[in-house]
Each structure stands twice: as C-alpha cells, then as structure tokens.
C-alpha cells in the first residue's frame, strides 16, 4: 500500500465520520462541510469507506493510521491488522480496474459511475504519489545539509577559543567574553556545597577529591575577569571538575539540602559585600581627608621661604583696591595652596579685564605663610590679591559663634576624637566627621559682612572649582531683593530639603517645605547690603543654637545654609555652575565645556589620586608643572602625587 493510498483512506474515514456521526448540534456545521465538496467527492467518500463498517474515533486512532503515525500503547497486532486491511483494499481496487478494462462489469449507470469514480481516484493517487515523492526528496536533501552543518560545527567545538563552551551564546563573538570565567565560578560554588554535604554524610574520599579539584580551579581562576585572562590549563581544570561534580551529584544530591546550603552561602556573601562596601566608604572618606605628599612638601617649602623674607617684602601691591565697592570682589577660603592657585589663575586667565578683579583669600595659621609666599612668587597679573589668617579674627570666638562653642563641648569632642567611635550605619555619616567641619574656614561663609564690612557684593568661590569664562556678568544679575544667587540642584526628587533636614522634628516640619529645591555652594553671589538688613548671620546663629544635639541636621554647612537663606535665594542659570565632577562619571561633556564654573564637589578631588582622569585635565591646565617648587616636590601631571 502506498503512502497516497493510506493518506487517502484516512481522509475518507474522517469525512465520513463527520458526515454520518454528528449529533443535532453539529448538523449545521456538517452541512457547511458538504457545501465545500462536489457530489462526486461525497459519493466517493460514501462508497470507498462503506466496507469499513461503523466508524468511530477509536477505530480511526487505532486501525486506520498510516505507517508514519506513531500511537503510544497500540498493540503491534492492531497495527498489523490495519496494514493488512489497507493492503486488501488496494488489491480489490486493482481487480476492479482489470474487470472494467476487460468489460466484465455490467454496462449500467451504476457501473459507469463506479468506473468514472475509480479512474478519477487513480489519477488523484498518481498525482499525490509524485508530489509526495518530490517532497520526500527535498526533505532528504535538507536533512543531509543540516547533518553536514552540524558535523562541521562539532569539529569546531574542540578547537574553539577558550571560553566559547556554548556555541549558541552571544558571547561567541565577543573578544572579552567571560563565559568560561562564570562557568568556573559556578563549578567552584557547587564544589563548596558538595564538600559541606560530603562531610555531613561522611563521604570522606569524595570530599577530599572535591577539595583537590576546588583548589586547582581556584588557582586557575585567580583574579581573571575575562576568558582571555585564563591560563591554557583552565579547560582541563573545567573537565576534571565536571567529572567529580557528576560523581558528587550521583552520591550526594539532595534538593532540599542543596537549597539550604546555597541560601546560607548567599547570605554570607551578602554580609561580606556589605562589610566590604562599608570598608570602601570608610577608606574613600579617609583618602578624601588626606593631603598628598607633594602638596604637603610644597606647603612646607613655601612656609620656610616666607618666614625668611624681610617684613617689607611680605606685602602685596594695590592694597587700596581691597575695599573699593566698584571692583569685582571674590572670597576664597582654603588651606590648599595648589587648589587656591588654580581658582585664581583660571579666573584671571578668563577675565576680560583682570585689573578690576580683587581676591580675598583666608586660610589658617598653618598655611598662612605658604599661601602668601605662593602668590608673592606668582602674582595674578594686574589683579589684586590679599591673604588673611582666620585665627587672627579676634571677634570670631566661642562667645559669639555657636559652632566654636559647640566644638568645645565634651559631646562634640567625643564624637570627633574618640578612637572607638562606631562606624556602622546607625552612627552619623562618616563624611560629616571630616576634619574640615572642625575648621572655621568652612563656617566663615556665614560671616561675610563681618569679614568685609565695606563691600556691597561679593562672589564666594570654593577651592575645588575651575573658572572657564568671564564672571563679571554675575554682578549684573538682578537678585530681586534676595541675598543669595545660586544654581539650584534639585531634579524630580533629588537634592530637595528633605534630603538634608530632619522633617520628623517639628521645628523643621513646621517652618520648611520638604519639597523645596536645594541649591549649591561653590559659586554664590551674595548681596551684603541685603544681608545686613535682614540680619542673616543672626538667623544662622538661631538655628545653629537649636541644633546643638544635631537633631535638626547632621554636621556641615549646606543644611544650615538652606535654612538660613530659605526664601532668600535667587536661582541662577545652570550654565553658570556645573557640579558633580568629584563623584559623577556621567556629567555631560557639552555642559562641562559650556559652563562658566565647573565644580569638583565630592571625594574625587582633582589633586587626589582618587580623581577621575576624564575630568582632571580641566583642572591641571592651570598648573605650571615646570615651576621649580612643583618640580622639587615631584609634582606630575597625573593622579599619583606620592
């Protein structure tokens, strides 16, 4: 029996069953089926399946399937019976055709219809047979092609580049693939789990074998992060480990026990990550507090040179400009000689008329000599400069300044100086224990009218900024009766008041909006006339006294600044001041290059080894590394100053 005969028989069986065995619900559907076929086709179905007896789906499933159909559970005798019945039908059909050709059948209408039907069936069968044969041939050709391609791929697997253990992975074309590294890491994790289980189940030999393979894999993996870093022996270690893991799976695998051990390992890993993260934060804060050796060397050499100078040579020229309100005045408070020099140099180099710019520098007594000596040796062109010592401001004492009074309390001394202070997340943030918060240089910004009583306006600059454009336009900005002109830093929900202040305290929640926008220190235009009129320093003292127990905010100058200048800050255009170069690696380059001032706020200061290389050139271009003092202290145009 041919494939076509079997296929045709099955179609006939299905159609007859549909036509004869549908109930009254399905009559309408069967009527539509009849409309799809001509009367001759229906007659062929009825006559060709008449000898098969009553039809049912069961008989169709078991007895009338072609040899290509596989039915699980069917007895071989049933299949043989169905095949013999189909063969018998084919034989009867051939006999019928021979009788028609010999003219032995009666010549009536019924015989004529049978002859027509039989001939049509034969033609259809012949066409189907040819069609199926063509399809089978094409299928065979496609199969051969697939097999050949698979053989070629299998040949390439053994000689593949290390790490391409799965040819379907996307990493197959990645030169920096880490697939093998991750495979070895997974094997190591499983080996550790099985070692624990082997000990529990007293499988000492297997445990020893696992330990040996684990040691080999750890040694081969080392500190590799990509497959290219692995030694050539890594593939052998993987195969050896896989063998012992397969053996362990056979002897030790227990799903519940494995799950418990993996969870325990995960918890231990999480705790380790948290501990390392805490250590990393502490070390980064520590690095941010340190002074590089080269800068310390520079400060010491300059200090020695300054105090060797005669008193008459220690004075700066053009001192008459220091109280002239018609000039452009800058306030810069710093203990870093090199950082201060960059601020002054970048401002002068980008100024249209440097002679109209006046720089008021304030430092501590430790760096007073060095700061003076640097600018005596490297005067800022036609600009005016003056350096003062904060420790000589006699009016700035503990009876007047709340911060100084609080720093003298036992609680504050314990917080800053006690060696066994906890450093976990429950204690104050590490960054607020930076020694800079002990220095009055950091809090002097709240006393600008007292430091410069003859000035009307002053531009306050931090020492970790670089000026890239002429800043005189800031003196023309209308502040609309506000005291502080600053760039706002809030986004959709970032750097708003609730980030800096404790709104669970009623003093804060009743007086401030938690969604109020924060602003940045670093480049601020202060109207000192309005400052004096509104007694801004008095407002600052009030809130600083209320925060003696640090219940309103943690230490620092931005939170009290937000409170003191609440409702008194005029927002400047963002292009005046771009922040984030000390912590954010994704600051837009176009924003940086179009900004008037760029700010390295954060721990990654440009003079530290922590500095981000991509931003450092904006700062270093204002330093002359061939300067004899810099050269003698081994300054280099790179992050490492040690």
């Amino acid at each position: 029996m041919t494939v076509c005969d079997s296929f045709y028989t099955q179609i006939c069986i299905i159609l007859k069953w549909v036509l004869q065995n549908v109930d009254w619900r399905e009559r309408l559907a069967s009527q539509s089926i009849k409309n799809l076929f001509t009367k001759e086709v229906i007659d062929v179905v009825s006559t060709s399946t008449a000898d098969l007896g009553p039809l049912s789906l069961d008989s169709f499933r078991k007895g009338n399937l072609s040899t290509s159909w596989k039915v699980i559970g069917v007895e071989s005798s049933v299949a043989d019976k169905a095949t013999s019945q189909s063969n018998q039908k084919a034989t009867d059909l051939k006999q019928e055709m021979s009788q028609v050709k010999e003219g032995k059948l009666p010549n009536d209408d019924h015989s004529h219809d049978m002859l027509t039907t039989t001939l049509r069936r034969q033609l259809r069968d012949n066409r189907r047979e040819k069609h199926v044969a063509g399809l089978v041939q094409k299928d065979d050709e496609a199969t051969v092609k697939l097999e050949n391609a698979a053989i070629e791929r299998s040949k390439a697997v053994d000689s593949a580049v290390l790490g391409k253990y799965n040819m379907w992975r996307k990493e197959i074309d990645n030169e920096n693939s880490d697939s093998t590294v991750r495979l070895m890491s997974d094997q190591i994790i499983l080996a550790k789990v099985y070692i624990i289980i082997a000990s529990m189940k007293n499988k000492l030999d297997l445990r020893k074998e696992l330990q040996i393979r684990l040691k080999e894999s750890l040694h081969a993996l080392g500190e590799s992060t990509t497959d290219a870093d692995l030694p050539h022996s890594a593939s052998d270690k993987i195969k050896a480990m896989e063998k012992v893991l397969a053996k362990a799976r056979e002897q030790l695998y227990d799903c519940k026990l494995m799950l418990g051990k993996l969870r325990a390992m995960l918890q231990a890993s999480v705790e380790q990550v948290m501990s390392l993260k805490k250590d990393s934060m502490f070390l980064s804060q520590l690095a941010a507090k340190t002074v590089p050796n080269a800068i310390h060397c520079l400060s010491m050499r300059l200090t020695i040179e300054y105090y060797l100078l005669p008193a008459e040579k220690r004075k700066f020229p053009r001192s008459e400009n220091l109280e002239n309100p018609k000039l452009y005045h800058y306030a810069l408070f710093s203990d870093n000689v090199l950082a201060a020099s960059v601020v002054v140099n970048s401002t002068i180099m980008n100024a249209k008329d440097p002679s109209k710019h006046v720089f008021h520098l304030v430092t501590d007594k430790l760096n007073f000599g060095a700061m003076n000596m640097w600018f005596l040796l490297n005067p800022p062109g036609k600009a005016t400069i003056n350096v003062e010592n904060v420790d000589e401001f006699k009016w700035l004492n503990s009876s007047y300044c709340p911060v100084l009074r609080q720093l003298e309390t036992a609680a504050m001394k314990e917080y800053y100086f006690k060696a066994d202070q906890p450093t976990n997340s429950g204690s104050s943030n590490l960054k607020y224990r930076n020694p800079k918060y002990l220095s009055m240089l950091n809090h002097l910004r709240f006393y600008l009218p007292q430091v410069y009583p003859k000035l009307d306006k002053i531009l306050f600059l931090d020492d970790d900024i670089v000026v890239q454009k002429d800043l005189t336009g800031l003196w023309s900005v209308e502040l609309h009766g506000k005291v502080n002109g600053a760039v706002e830093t809030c986004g959709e929900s970032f750097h708003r008041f609730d980030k800096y202040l404790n709104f669970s305290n009623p003093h804060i929640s009743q007086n401030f909006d938690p969604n109020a926008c924060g602003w940045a220190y670093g480049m601020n235009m202060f109207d000192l006339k309005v400052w004096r009129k509104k007694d801004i320093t008095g407002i600052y003292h009030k809130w600083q006294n209320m925060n003696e127990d640090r219940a309103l905010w943690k230490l620092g100058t931005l939170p009290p600044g937000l409170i003191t200048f609440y409702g008194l800050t005029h927002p400047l255009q963002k292009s005046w001041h771009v922040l984030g170069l000390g912590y954010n690696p994704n600051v837009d380059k176009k924003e940086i290059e179009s900004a008037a001032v760029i700010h390295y706020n954060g721990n990654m200061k440009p003079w530290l080894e922590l500095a981000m290389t991509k931003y450092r050139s904006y700062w270093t271009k204002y330093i002359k590394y061939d300067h004899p003092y810099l050269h003698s202290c081994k300054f280099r145009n790179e992050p490492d100053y040690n």
Side-chain angles (χ1 to χ4, degrees):
M1 180 180 180
T2 64
V3 175
C4 294
D5 292 335
S6 178
F7 178 80
Y8 177 75
T9 301
Q10 294 163 20
I11 295 298
C12 292
I13 291 170
I14 294 171
L15 288 175
K16 184 171 182 181
W17 183 87
V18 171
L19 295 174
Q20 293 180 357
N21 294 278
V22 295
D23 58 18
W24 63 271
R25 297 182 188 88
E26 298 169 335
R27 292 293 181 183
L28 183 60
S30 64
Q31 184 62 40
S32 63
I33 292 175
K34 290 181 180 181
N35 293 335
L36 296 175
F37 302 96
T38 63
K39 183 178 182 301
E40 289 80 0
V41 174
I42 301 300
D43 292 340
V44 169
V45 173
S46 300
T47 57
S48 62
T49 59
D51 58 338
L52 296 178
L55 294 175
S56 68
L57 285 178
D58 184 65
S59 65
F60 169 68
R61 293 190 191 101
K62 294 182 178 180
N64 298 295
L65 297 177
S66 70
T67 56
S68 64
W69 289 30
K70 305 292 182 184
V71 180
I72 298 173
V74 177
E75 298 289 341
S76 60
S77 60
V78 176
D80 294 340
K81 182 179 178 182
T83 303
S84 62
Q85 288 178 352
S86 300
N87 292 336
Q88 183 62 39
K89 277 196 65 188
T91 303
D92 294 343
L93 179 59
K94 290 179 181 178
Q95 292 176 357
E96 184 179 324
M97 289 297 299
S98 62
Q99 290 177 359
V100 171
K101 291 179 181 178
E102 296 173 0
K104 294 180 180 180
L105 289 178
N107 189 13
D108 53 13
D109 292 340
H110 178 69
S111 300
H112 185 272
D113 291 340
M114 283 187 61
L115 176 60
T116 304
T117 302
T118 303
L119 291 173
R120 288 176 179 172
R121 189 196 314 171
Q122 185 180 21
L123 291 173
R124 284 195 299 271
D125 290 347
N126 291 338
R127 287 196 297 269
R128 288 196 188 99
E129 199 170 58
K130 291 180 181 179
H131 181 63
V132 170
L135 291 176
V136 170
Q137 183 178 358
K138 291 181 179 179
D139 186 57
D140 290 342
E141 292 175 356
T143 302
V144 170
K145 290 181 180 180
L146 288 174
E147 289 175 351
N148 291 335
I151 291 171
E152 293 300 321
R153 286 195 298 268
S154 65
K155 290 179 180 179
V157 170
D158 293 338
S159 60
V161 177
L162 189 63
K164 301 181 179 180
Y165 65 92
N166 188 336
M167 60 188 295
W168 302 112
R169 295 183 69 89
K170 290 184 178 180
E171 291 92 331
I172 190 73
D173 296 323
N174 183 3
E175 295 180 356
N176 296 321
S177 171
D178 63 347
S179 53
T180 303
V181 171
R182 287 186 281 114
L183 174 61
M184 294 186 72
S185 299
D186 292 343
Q187 287 184 333
I188 288 170
I189 292 172
L190 286 175
K192 289 179 179 178
V193 174
Y194 280 128
I195 287 172
I196 298 173
I197 297 175
S199 299
M200 294 172 59
K201 296 189 176 183
N202 203 29
K203 300 283 186 179
L204 302 182
D205 292 339
L206 182 57
R207 183 187 69 177
K208 183 176 180 181
E209 189 176 356
L210 283 165
Q211 288 174 336
I212 293 172
R213 299 306 177 196
L214 176 61
K215 185 177 180 180
E216 291 176 351
S217 294
L218 288 171
H219 180 72
L221 183 61
E223 298 182 357
S224 302
T225 56
T226 64
D227 295 349
D229 300 332
L230 292 171
H232 293 293
S233 62
S235 58
D236 296 332
K237 306 301 181 187
I238 291 172
K239 292 176 183 178
M241 177 65 86
E242 184 57 39
K243 288 180 181 179
V244 72
L245 287 177
K247 185 177 178 181
R249 277 192 290 270
E250 292 176 0
Q251 299 184 28
L252 303 175
Y253 185 76
D254 183 328
C255 183
K256 187 175 181 180
L257 190 57
M258 285 283 291
L259 182 61
K261 296 302 176 185
L262 288 171
R263 282 180 174 173
M265 290 178 67
L266 177 62
Q267 181 63 30
S269 298
V270 170
E271 291 176 358
Q272 185 179 13
V273 168
M274 294 300 294
S275 176
L276 291 173
K277 186 177 180 181
K278 190 184 300 181
D279 291 343
S280 175
M281 181 176 67
F282 174 79
L283 291 173
S284 64
Q285 294 292 339
L286 182 63
K289 300 172 188 177
T290 58
V291 178
N293 287 341
I295 293 180
H296 180 69
C297 167
L298 176 65
S299 181
M300 293 298 100
R301 286 181 61 86
L302 290 170
T303 299
I304 294 171
E305 294 292 333
Y306 177 76
Y307 288 108
L308 291 176
L309 284 177
E312 61 272 14
K313 292 185 177 181
R314 297 180 185 179
K315 297 181 180 179
F316 292 100
R318 296 181 288 277
S319 58
E320 66 277 5
N321 292 335
L322 295 177
E323 296 182 348
N324 186 349
K326 296 181 179 180
L327 300 178
Y328 304 113
H329 294 265
Y330 301 85
L332 175 60
F333 308 146
S334 175
D335 58 0
N336 188 324
V337 176
L338 196 63
S341 72
V342 170
V343 175
V344 174
N345 290 345
S346 62
T347 304
I348 295 303
M349 291 177 66
N350 291 285
K352 295 179 180 178
D353 186 358
S355 63
K356 294 183 178 180
H357 295 259
V358 181
F359 293 91
H360 302 266
L361 271 68
V362 180
T363 188
D364 55 21
K365 61 182 178 182
L366 184 63
N367 294 281
F368 178 71
M371 196 75 72
N372 273 280
M373 192 64 195
W374 177 265
F375 288 105
L376 287 171
L377 293 173
N378 306 279
K382 296 180 179 180
T384 302
I385 193 165
N386 185 53
V387 179
E388 295 181 272
N389 182 358
V390 67
D391 297 303
E392 293 180 357
F393 295 165
K394 301 305 180 184
W395 53 269
L396 196 63
N397 50 55
S398 58
S399 61
Y400 174 67
C401 177
V403 171
L404 284 175
R405 183 173 64 254
Q406 291 167 9
L407 288 174
E408 293 176 356
T409 63
M412 194 67 73
K413 288 179 180 179
E414 182 180 15
Y415 175 76
Y416 273 109
F417 302 113
K418 191 174 180 180
D420 58 348
Q421 275 290 327
T423 57
N424 55 34
S425 58
S427 65
S428 299
N429 194 314
L430 282 171
K431 76 175 184 177
Y432 295 117
R433 299 176 70 182
N434 193 316
K436 74 177 184 179
Y437 296 113
L438 293 171
S439 172
M440 275 310 298
L441 287 176
N442 200 45
H443 297 270
L444 196 60
R445 64 193 68 191
F446 293 104
Y447 300 95
L448 290 174
Q450 288 82 354
V451 180
Y452 309 110
K454 301 289 184 67
L455 300 182
D456 296 333
K457 272 189 175 184
I458 196 166
L459 183 65
F460 172 78
L461 298 176
D462 271 344
D463 63 359
D464 56 352
I465 63 101
V466 173
V467 178
Q468 300 187 127
K469 293 183 178 180
D470 181 72
L471 299 181
T472 55
L474 286 169
W475 276 262
S476 302
V477 174
E478 177 58 54
L479 298 182
H480 302 284
K482 305 295 179 64
V483 180
N484 175 26
V487 170
E488 293 183 333
T489 56
C490 58
E492 294 180 0
S493 60
F494 305 104
H495 297 286
R496 297 184 183 273
F497 271 43
D498 58 355
K499 176 180 174 65
Y500 303 99
L501 305 177
N502 179 18
F503 275 86
S504 63
N505 189 294
H507 293 296
I508 297 296
S509 59
Q510 293 173 10
N511 290 280
F512 305 100
D513 178 6
N515 294 316
C517 190
W519 44 268
Y521 268 127
M523 190 210 72
N524 306 80
M525 175 57 71
F526 290 111
D527 188 328
L528 300 183
K529 285 175 126 180
V530 181
W531 184 310
R532 297 183 187 99
K533 182 178 179 181
K534 294 184 179 292
D535 190 20
I536 298 300
T537 303
I539 297 174
Y540 164 69
H541 282 174
K542 169 191 169 184
W543 286 100
Q544 192 67 53
N545 283 322
M546 293 172 63
N547 193 50
E548 185 167 358
D549 57 356
R550 302 188 302 280
L552 306 184
W553 69 85
K554 300 299 180 183
L555 297 179
T557 54
L558 182 56
L562 296 176
I563 289 177
T564 301
F565 297 103
Y566 184 67
L568 298 172
T569 300
H570 174 75
L572 300 176
Q573 292 183 359
K574 293 186 180 297
S575 60
W576 279 112
H577 187 189
V578 170
L579 299 103
L581 278 71
Y583 71 91
N584 183 7
N586 300 313
V587 181
D588 192 326
K589 186 176 181 180
K590 292 182 179 178
E591 290 186 5
I592 294 175
E593 294 178 349
S594 63
V597 170
I598 55 175
H599 195 170
Y600 293 84
N601 57 313
N603 288 333
M604 300 179 184
K605 303 300 184 187
W607 56 84
L608 295 176
E609 194 172 348
L610 295 173
M612 284 184 275
T613 306
K614 62 188 295 186
Y615 301 142
R616 201 165 177 275
S617 61
Y618 298 107
W619 188 80
T620 56
K621 69 180 181 180
Y622 294 104
I623 298 176
K624 294 181 179 180
Y625 286 95
D626 57 351
H627 191 284
Y629 281 87
L630 299 183
H631 182 73
S632 63
C633 288
K634 299 181 181 179
F635 273 89
R636 297 188 303 273
N637 189 9
E638 49 189 72
D640 184 10
Y641 282 145
N642 295 321

